[in-house]
């Protein structure tokens, strides 16, 4: 079959064949998956959320071994980011971080949250406090200085073609990236943030609806998308949240998007780098099996529901800020891994999970999506819908 054509201005901006971007999913979208999507004609994006600079460098080198096509790296920025200074090195003032904790992470938590960890470990028969030392190192690194600044510095240094921020405003870094010919993408869940990041120089705004897996907002994709498009015009907008096949791509383009940013549909690809059990839970899920919770990160995150989420929600505790909440979930998850109870660990996934039934190579998933979208937009719609304006 001939190679389908599906082209928008986003393809020209990002130098790609098809307007389909692999979402930068932390720890899951790594070199093999990124390269597979870029090779297929889209834009693969590394989910570098918790990767230190040396790991980002390793990923980028591996991608460059696998493909010569454009790709990107995605990080999570803290709120409040200042413009780069001097030689263009990026500086994030929201990074003015707490000093590395002298006490163990668990000791930093208020008493009621320490009690919650104890009670959850008891409830699920987990090894008590077994994970503390393992967690301490991760938490210390997270608190230990300008983590996201060091990530952005590394991405600049590596001359990555596309920089993306899944949280926060990437605008203050835009000049530094533009100076080296790179593009900047930012993700939003509401119109206010869309305006903010577009005004700050972001090249592509991703409007992410609540259907999405991972951190997500409250507005549905179909309601959010046209409002963001109108608010940031002429800045290009990609749609995200609930797009899992060619019908979703066609719908997003019909609604005015310049492209799509797809996460969950690639989570079940062969190249996605996370345990098979987590993929299997997505493959087995229905559209009703996800739940938004603050348990894992302190921010609203859509996950495959599990008994630990139910238990957290039943306790009616307020979530702590991001790093502190991560201590709670991190300790419990480390204990769950130790006890081989992976069903309790974080398993972010979107509502489109109910439509995913098999694990395939990313190239196949990608080609099926693009071909279906091109078919719908070239002939399929006309065959089903009789419309005219005269
Ligand atoms: C497992 C997983 C991890 C994610 N990690 C990140 C992340 O680190 N940074 C980010 O910008 N978005 C992250 N997201 C959100 C995705 O970038 C994307 O917006 C979302 O998956 C799109 O909706 P969909 O899942 O319905 O395709 C994650 C999503 C999932 C499912």
């Amino acid at each position: 079959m001939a190679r389908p054509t599906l082209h928008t201005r986003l393809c020209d901006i990002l130098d790609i064949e098809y307007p389909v971007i692999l979402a930068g999913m932390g720890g899951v979208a790594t070199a093999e998956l990124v390269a597979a999507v870029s090779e297929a004609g889209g834009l693969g994006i590394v989910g570098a959320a918790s990767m230190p600079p040396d790991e980002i460098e390793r990923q980028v080198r591996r991608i460059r071994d696998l493909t010569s096509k454009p790709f990107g790296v995605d990080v999570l920025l803290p709120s409040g980011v200042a413009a780069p200074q001097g030689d263009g090195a990026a500086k994030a003032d929201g990074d003015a971080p707490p000093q590395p904790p002298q006490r163990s992470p668990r000791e930093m938590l208020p008493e009621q949250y320490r009690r919650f960890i104890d009670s959850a470990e008891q409830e699920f028969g987990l090894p008590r406090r077994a994970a503390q030392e393992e967690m301490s190192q991760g938490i210390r690194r997270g608190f230990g200085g300008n983590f996201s600044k060091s990530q952005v510095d590394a991405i600049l240094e590596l001359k990555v073609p596309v920089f993306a921020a899944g949280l926060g405003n990437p605008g203050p870094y835009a000049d530094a990236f533009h100076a080296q010919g790179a593009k900047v993408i930012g993700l939003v869940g509401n119109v206010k943030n869309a305006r903010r990041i577009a005004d700050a120089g972001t090249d592509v705004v991703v409007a992410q609806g609540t259907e999405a897996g991972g951190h997500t907002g409250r507005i549905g994709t179909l309601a959010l998308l046209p409002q963001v498009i109108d608010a940031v015009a002429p800045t290009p907008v990609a749609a995200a949240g609930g797009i899992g096949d060619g019908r979703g791509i066609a719908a997003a383009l019909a609604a005015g998007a310049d492209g799509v940013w797809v996460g969950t549909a690639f989570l079940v690809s062969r190249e996605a780098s996370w345990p098979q059990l987590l993929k299997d839970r997505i493959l087995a899920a229905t559209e009703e099996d996800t739940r938004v919770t603050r348990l894992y990160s302190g921010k609203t995150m859509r996950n495959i529901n599990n008994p630990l989420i139910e238990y957290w929600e039943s306790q009616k505790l307020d979530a702590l800020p991001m790093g502190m909440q991560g201590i709670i979930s991190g300790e419990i998850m480390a204990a769950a891994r130790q006890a081989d109870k992976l069903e309790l660990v974080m398993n972010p996934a979107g509502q489109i999970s109910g439509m995913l039934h098999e694990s395939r190579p990313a190239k196949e998933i990608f080609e099926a999506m693009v071909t279906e979208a091109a078919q719908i937009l070239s002939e399929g719609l006309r065959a089903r819908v009789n419309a005219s304006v005269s």
Side-chain angles (χ1 to χ4, degrees):
M1 196 168 74
R3 205 165 163 79
T5 300
L6 191 68
H7 189 95
T8 70
R9 62 178 171 150
L10 190 73
C11 302
D12 302 323
I13 292 167
L14 299 176
D15 192 23
I16 53 180
E17 186 177 358
Y18 298 114
V20 178
I21 306 172
L22 165 70
M25 295 178 287
V28 186
T30 54
E32 273 66 24
L33 179 53
V34 169
V37 169
S38 289
E39 272 294 295
L43 186 81
I45 297 204
V46 181
S50 62
M51 283 181 197
D54 59 343
E55 177 58 18
I56 293 177
E57 184 177 346
R58 214 179 60 77
Q59 291 287 327
V60 167
R61 290 197 190 291
R62 177 82 184 124
I63 293 165
R64 285 183 165 142
D65 284 344
L66 295 170
T67 183
S68 56
K69 302 274 177 64
F71 63 94
V73 177
D74 174 277
V75 299
L76 305 178
L77 297 174
S79 52
V81 178
Q85 293 178 340
D87 60 359
K91 175 181 183 302
D93 71 359
D95 278 340
Q99 289 305 302
Q102 299 306 309
R103 294 172 291 162
S104 79
R106 190 189 290 230
E107 285 166 353
M108 294 166 60
L109 296 172
E111 172 59 26
Q112 62 188 135
Y113 294 88
R114 293 206 296 268
R115 277 206 307 272
F116 171 75
I117 296 175
D118 289 340
S119 70
E121 287 174 346
Q122 203 168 11
E123 174 80 13
F124 297 104
L126 303 178
R128 293 168 62 93
R129 294 167 199 258
Q132 198 150 345
E133 196 38 46
E134 179 191 332
M135 267 309 295
S136 299
Q137 289 178 7
I139 297 295
R140 277 174 212 286
R141 188 176 69 200
F143 277 90
N146 264 337
F147 185 62
S148 68
K149 175 187 183 313
S150 68
Q151 290 180 309
V152 178
D153 284 347
I155 297 165
L156 279 166
E157 179 85 12
L158 289 160
K159 305 225 171 346
V160 168
V162 176
F163 170 65
L167 281 179
N169 180 2
Y173 297 115
D175 286 347
F177 281 101
H178 290 160
Q180 44 179 243
K183 301 293 184 209
V184 175
I185 299 180
L187 206 85
V188 297
N190 63 36
V191 168
K192 185 174 133 210
N193 284 336
R195 277 207 187 93
R196 192 164 62 98
I197 70 166
D199 289 348
T202 302
D203 299 296
V204 178
V205 172
V206 177
Q208 190 217 45
T210 187
E211 296 93 318
H215 288 127
T216 192
R218 288 191 297 267
I219 319 297
T221 304
L222 199 53
L224 180 67
L225 182 59
Q227 298 185 67
V228 168
I229 291 169
D230 289 349
V232 304
T235 304
V237 174
I243 296 167
D245 64 8
R247 291 172 296 183
I249 297 176
L253 297 181
D258 299 286
V260 294
W261 166 280
V262 178
T264 299
F266 286 111
L267 281 180
V268 295
S269 67
R270 302 250 170 91
E271 293 88 342
S273 60
W274 67 348
Q276 187 60 40
L277 178 79
L278 302 187
K279 294 183 189 181
D280 288 345
R281 292 179 71 222
I282 295 173
L283 293 172
T286 73
E287 78 285 7
E288 302 217 62
D289 288 336
T290 67
R291 179 163 184 179
V292 174
T293 180
R294 290 181 188 268
L295 163 66
Y296 290 110
S297 74
K299 291 190 178 290
T300 49
M301 180 192 279
R302 186 178 296 283
N303 277 265
I304 299 291
N305 200 7
N306 70 42
L308 179 62
I309 294 175
E310 297 284 348
Y311 185 67
W312 161 260
E313 298 295 338
S314 73
Q315 302 300 302
K316 306 278 179 227
L317 288 168
D318 289 333
L320 295 174
M322 217 169 169
M324 297 288 275
Q325 186 71 20
I327 295 174
I328 301 170
S329 58
E331 290 229 0
I332 301 172
M333 283 200 292
R337 281 193 199 94
Q338 203 166 313
D340 209 20
K341 296 196 172 176
L342 275 185
E343 68 277 11
L344 302 180
V345 307
M346 189 169 86
N347 197 166
Q351 292 177 334
I352 204 73
S353 296
M355 205 175 72
L356 306 174
H357 303 301
E358 58 173 335
S359 181
R360 292 182 291 166
K363 180 175 190 282
E364 266 182 38
I365 297 172
F366 187 95
E367 287 176 353
M369 273 184 186
V370 165
T371 305
E372 185 182 27
Q375 200 281 331
I376 292 169
L377 293 169
S378 61
E379 298 157 19
L381 202 52
R382 224 175 308 143
R384 283 196 304 112
V385 181
N386 183 8
S388 68
V389 286
S390 56

